């Protein structure tokens, strides 16, 4: 039996910093720049964590009264997180340009020599801020395709999900956790407030093969296509647990650890789906694949969807591989349904 003193003297664990350093060698042509960039993101995450934690104390909650580029109400913390992230990435020096869910144009950092571009959703699920529900930051990193020393262009960002070199999220929940992948598995680091450090707490995250949780905004049920409705009804029939926080990262994180599926299908108000391809769908899909889960829309793997614009939206179904397989059977039905419809139209002609 370990004595109380021995327990207290146990090592505190692997810090994010040490983990990044140790694993730097597994990056192709590692030069330390990606490692430094991940550290910069972690630093911004610590700062936002501080802001989020005092959200109820100072006058920073609630709507700002302005809208972002997509006409949605911006929360004050949305704006603060946006500013904090951009500043951290500018000061870090490893990023030449940034796009964020909150702004329309490319943000140039002034570091044209830098190798990477980053797409971020600085505070996702922000309608949950005022009510103490989990929110998070999502990031996605690409190696630029334009030559170093020149100005980055939209081609640097519109490379497609498979070109991501790293992606991750920081979830500000019952504790703050940073989860990321560089294409060599997924690891999670919990923030230890008193030491001001992220420690490896969830090494090599793997999604269960199957699960019992489905996460969808069921208030939209009547708006979903027939085949999606039938899938949801099958989940109900199996007495699966419905769990929907309304913060993608929180729903995703829980499902990844416990086994589940998250769905955001198209609706009349969001005919392409609501979530943004570059800021939300691609990074979650990269993480999901690396954790042995799957992310699709009705047509293909999310990572194969062609990007056209920065703020393009997409439907997404992401979760345990067996659950996605089952959903795909319902999508196949959809194909039949469409073929039937087409035939029917033909006969009528
Ligand atoms: P946001 O980027 O404006 O915060 O919106 C994205 C969020 C996701 O985190 C969440 O899963 C989804 O929107 C919830 O949408 P809805 O309220 O329509 O269910
Ligand atoms: Mg978002």
């Amino acid at each position: 039996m370990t004595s109380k003193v021995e327990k207290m003297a146990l090592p505190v664990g692997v810090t994010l910093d040490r983990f990044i350093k140790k694993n730097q060698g597994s990056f192709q042509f590692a030069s330390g720049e990606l490692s430094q960039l991940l550290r910069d993101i972690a630093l911004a995450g610590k700062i936002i964590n501080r802001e989020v934690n005092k959200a109820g104390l100072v006058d920073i909650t609630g709507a700002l009264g302005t809208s972002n580029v997509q006409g949605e109400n911006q929360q004050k913390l949305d704006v603060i997180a946006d500013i904090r992230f951009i500043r951290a990435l500018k000061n870090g020096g490893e990023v030449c340009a940034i796009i964020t869910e909150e702004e329309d144009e490319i943000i140039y950092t002034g570091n044209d020599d830098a190798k990477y571009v980053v797409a971020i959703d600085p505070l996702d699920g922000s309608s949950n801020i005022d009510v103490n529900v989990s929110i998070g930051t999502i990031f996605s990193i690409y190696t630029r395709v334009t030559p170093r020393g020149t100005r980055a262009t939209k081609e640097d960002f519109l490379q497609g999900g498979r070109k991501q070199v790293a992606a991750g999220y920081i979830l500000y929940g019952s504790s703050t956790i940073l989860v990321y992948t560089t294409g060599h598995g997924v690891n999670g680091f919990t923030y230890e407030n008193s030491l001001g450090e992220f420690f490896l707490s969830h090494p090599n995250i793997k999604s269960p093969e199957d699960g019992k949780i489905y996460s969808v905004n069921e208030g939209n049920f009547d708006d979903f296509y027939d085949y999606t409705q039938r899938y949801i009804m099958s989940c109900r029939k199996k007495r699966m647990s419905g769990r929907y926080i309304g913060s993608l990262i929180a729903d995703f994180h829980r499902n990844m650890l416990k086994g589940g599926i998250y769905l955001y299908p198209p609706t009349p108000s969001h005919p392409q789906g609501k979530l943004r391809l570059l800021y939300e769908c691609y990074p979650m899909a990269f993480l999901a694949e690396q954790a042995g889960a799957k992310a699709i829309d009705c047509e293909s793997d999310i990572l194969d969807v062609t990007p056209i614009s920065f703020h393009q939206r997409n439907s997404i179904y992401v979760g345990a591989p067996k659950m996605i397989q089952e959903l795909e059977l319902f999508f196949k039905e959809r194909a039949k349904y469409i073929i039937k419809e087409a035939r029917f139209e033909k006969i009528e002609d």
Side-chain angles (χ1 to χ4, degrees), residues 72 101-102 121-126 136 138 248 274-276 279-280:
E72 297 155 329
E101 199 186 273
E102 300 298 323
D121 181 353
L123 213 52
D124 183 69
S126 51
I138 312 175
L248 168 67
K274 179 188 170 190
L275 301 187
R276 288 76 169 176
Y279 308 102
E280 289 156 339

Side-chain angles (χ1 to χ4, degrees), residues 195-266:
L195 296 172
E197 287 277 9
F198 284 100
F199 286 94
L200 181 62
S201 52
H202 295 68
N204 199 19
I205 296 175
K206 287 284 170 221
S207 157
E209 272 291 295
D210 204 354
K212 291 196 167 56
I213 298 170
Y214 72 105
S215 315
V216 64
N217 185 341
E218 253 175 295
N220 294 334
F221 185 86
D222 289 348
D223 286 338
F224 296 152
Y225 287 114
D226 164 74
Y227 46 87
T228 314
Q229 289 181 340
R230 277 190 279 137
Y231 173 73
I232 294 170
M233 287 193 287
S234 79
C235 296
R236 291 179 190 164
K237 253 203 190 125
K238 286 190 219 152
R239 300 290 184 269
M240 284 166 54
S241 294
R243 294 280 182 274
Y244 188 72
I245 294 171
S247 271
L248 168 67
I249 306 176
D251 281 313
F252 177 93
H253 186 71
R254 182 206 49 240
N255 290 353
M256 231 12 72
L257 297 185
K258 296 200 164 172
I261 183 169
Y262 173 96
L263 308 95
Y264 211 110

Side-chain angles (χ1 to χ4, degrees), residues 120-131:
I120 32 170
D121 181 353
L123 213 52
D124 183 69
S126 51
S127 61
N128 282 325
I129 298 169
D130 286 359
V131 287

Side-chain angles (χ1 to χ4, degrees), residues 12-263:
V12 282
V14 180
T15 63
L16 173 65
D17 219 44
R18 195 176 299 163
F19 183 89
I20 290 174
K21 244 183 237 150
K22 223 178 111 204
N23 290 285
Q24 190 178 311
S26 55
F27 307 148
Q28 213 188 357
F29 313 119
S31 59
E33 290 154 292
L34 183 58
S35 301
Q36 185 51 46
L37 171 49
L38 290 168
R39 286 190 205 106
D40 297 339
I41 287 174
L43 174 64
K46 285 181 195 176
I47 298 170
I48 293 163
N49 175 62
R50 189 189 64 192
E51 308 290 356
V52 168
N53 279 317
K54 65 183 184 191
L57 295 173
V58 289
D59 183 30
I60 52 173
T61 56
L64 189 66
T66 57
S67 304
N68 69 6
V69 288
Q70 287 141 86
E72 297 155 329
N73 276 339
Q74 280 182 310
Q75 305 286 316
K76 290 178 193 172
L77 263 178
D78 280 349
V79 178
I80 292 171
D82 196 46
I83 295 169
R84 292 287 187 204
F85 254 95
I86 292 167
R87 196 177 294 155
L89 295 182
K90 271 186 181 168
N91 291 342
E94 311 301 345
V95 175
C96 58
I98 306 161
I99 52 170
T100 97
E101 199 186 273
E102 300 298 323
E103 304 193 33
D104 212 0
E105 304 292 334
I106 298 177
I107 299 151
Y108 291 100
T109 59
N111 308 312
D112 283 349
D113 283 336
K115 184 175 174 184
Y116 296 106
V117 297
V118 177
I120 32 170
D121 181 353
L123 213 52
D124 183 69
S126 51
S127 61
N128 282 325
I129 298 169
D130 286 359
V131 287
N132 267 39
V133 174
S134 301
I135 44 181
T137 300
I138 312 175
F139 59 91
S140 161
I141 304 174
Y142 301 84
T143 304
R144 65 186 298 181
V145 288
T146 49
R148 291 172 87 158
T150 62
R151 278 212 126 184
T153 68
K154 70 175 192 313
E155 278 65 43
D156 292 313
F157 294 98
L158 300 180
Q159 298 186 44
R162 301 238 175 249
K163 295 286 183 187
Q164 294 173 98
V165 291
Y169 57 81
I170 305 165
L171 171 62
Y172 313 100
S174 47
S175 61
T176 293
I177 181 165
L178 187 156
V179 175
Y180 80 93
T181 182
T182 53
H184 302 274
V186 180
N187 291 286
F189 300 80
T190 301
Y191 186 60
E192 216 290 23
N193 252 313
S194 61
L195 296 172
E197 287 277 9
F198 284 100
F199 286 94
L200 181 62
S201 52
H202 295 68
N204 199 19
I205 296 175
K206 287 284 170 221
S207 157
E209 272 291 295
D210 204 354
K212 291 196 167 56
I213 298 170
Y214 72 105
S215 315
V216 64
N217 185 341
E218 253 175 295
N220 294 334
F221 185 86
D222 289 348
D223 286 338
F224 296 152
Y225 287 114
D226 164 74
Y227 46 87
T228 314
Q229 289 181 340
R230 277 190 279 137
Y231 173 73
I232 294 170
M233 287 193 287
S234 79
C235 296
R236 291 179 190 164
K237 253 203 190 125
K238 286 190 219 152
R239 300 290 184 269
M240 284 166 54
S241 294
R243 294 280 182 274
Y244 188 72
I245 294 171
S247 271
L248 168 67
I249 306 176
D251 281 313
F252 177 93
H253 186 71
R254 182 206 49 240
N255 290 353
M256 231 12 72
L257 297 185
K258 296 200 164 172
I261 183 169
Y262 173 96
L263 308 95

Side-chain angles (χ1 to χ4, degrees), residues 252-326:
F252 177 93
H253 186 71
R254 182 206 49 240
N255 290 353
M256 231 12 72
L257 297 185
K258 296 200 164 172
I261 183 169
Y262 173 96
L263 308 95
Y264 211 110
T267 60
S269 53
H270 293 110
Q272 309 303 324
K274 179 188 170 190
L275 301 187
R276 288 76 169 176
L277 184 62
L278 268 68
Y279 308 102
E280 289 156 339
C281 301
Y282 276 164
M284 293 331 229
F286 189 18
L287 288 157
E289 282 206 357
Q290 284 294 317
K294 268 203 96 180
I296 59 167
D297 61 14
C298 296
E299 316 273 328
S300 68
D301 281 3
I302 290 289
L303 293 177
D304 293 323
V305 175
T306 308
I308 295 162
S309 62
F310 292 166
H311 296 289
Q312 129 188 25
R313 295 176 191 261
N314 216 84
S315 56
I316 185 168
Y317 309 89
V318 54
K322 278 201 173 151
M323 300 178 91
I324 295 287
Q325 248 173 35
E326 205 172 316

